[in-house]
Structures are given as C-alpha cells and as structure tokens.
Amino acid sequence: MAVALKPGARLKSSVCDTQVMVVKAPAGEHDLRCGGPPMLAAAATASDTVSLDPALAGGTLIGKRYVNADESIELLCTTGGKGALVLDGAPLVIKQAKQLPSSD
C-alpha cells in the first residue's frame, strides 16, 4: 500500500508497538512497512488479523533515526517495538552519527 510520506507525519505498526515520526521523506508514494504489514496513521486502528513476520522481527529502538541507503528518508522512532522497518522492499538501518573533525 503506497502512500505519500510527509515530514511530521506520525505512523504506527499494526503488529507491534513501533511508532515513528517522519523527519525527511522522498517525493512520491512509497510502501513503508513494519514487521511485514504496511504502517498505519497514528489515529488508525489495527486489524487483529495481521501478525508479525518472523523474517522482519529485527526490532526498532526508541530515539533512533532510521534511514535507507541513500538517506532520502529519515524516520525517528518514538516507541520501540519488535518489527523491522522496510521502505519499498529495502530494510531501513539506524543512522550513524557524523564524525566531527578533531581539534588538535
């Protein structure tokens, strides 16, 4: 289920406790999933018929930012959970801190 992602949008997983806020999003519609099923708007209610895909049970950590390979999307995890985040079939990873120049 492809949707247009906008900065500031809050989304939640339908299979675990994961909740995220969109910090940066690419243009167009994209398929954002957590633990297998598509993510829902924060106000939406989850269906009881969906379950966590064991292959996508990598988990999310509260306070971490998740990005794709080219960092065109950035999500802030506001509530951690058991599901892993996937955008258009590619897993999202924790954004690494930038190295600061040394001060000699």
Side-chain angles (χ1 to χ4, degrees), residues 13-50:
S13 172
S14 59
V15 295
C16 69
D17 295 333
T18 300
Q19 293 184 20
V20 298
M21 183 175 76
V22 179
V23 176
K24 181 170 78 170
E29 293 191 346
H30 299 277
D31 186 24
L32 180 61
R33 297 174 175 264
C34 181
M39 293 198 75
L40 306 170
T45 56
S47 170
D48 292 335
T49 60
V50 294

Side-chain angles (χ1 to χ4, degrees), residues 49-91:
T49 60
V50 294
S51 61
L52 182 68
D53 181 350
L56 297 173
T60 53
L61 302 172
I62 188 169
K64 297 296 183 183
R65 292 174 183 251
Y66 288 83
V67 295
N68 57 356
D70 64 357
E71 294 191 11
S72 62
I73 188 167
E74 185 174 328
L75 305 174
L76 173 63
C77 181
T78 57
T79 304
K82 294 181 180 179
L85 296 168
V86 176
L87 180 73
D88 297 330

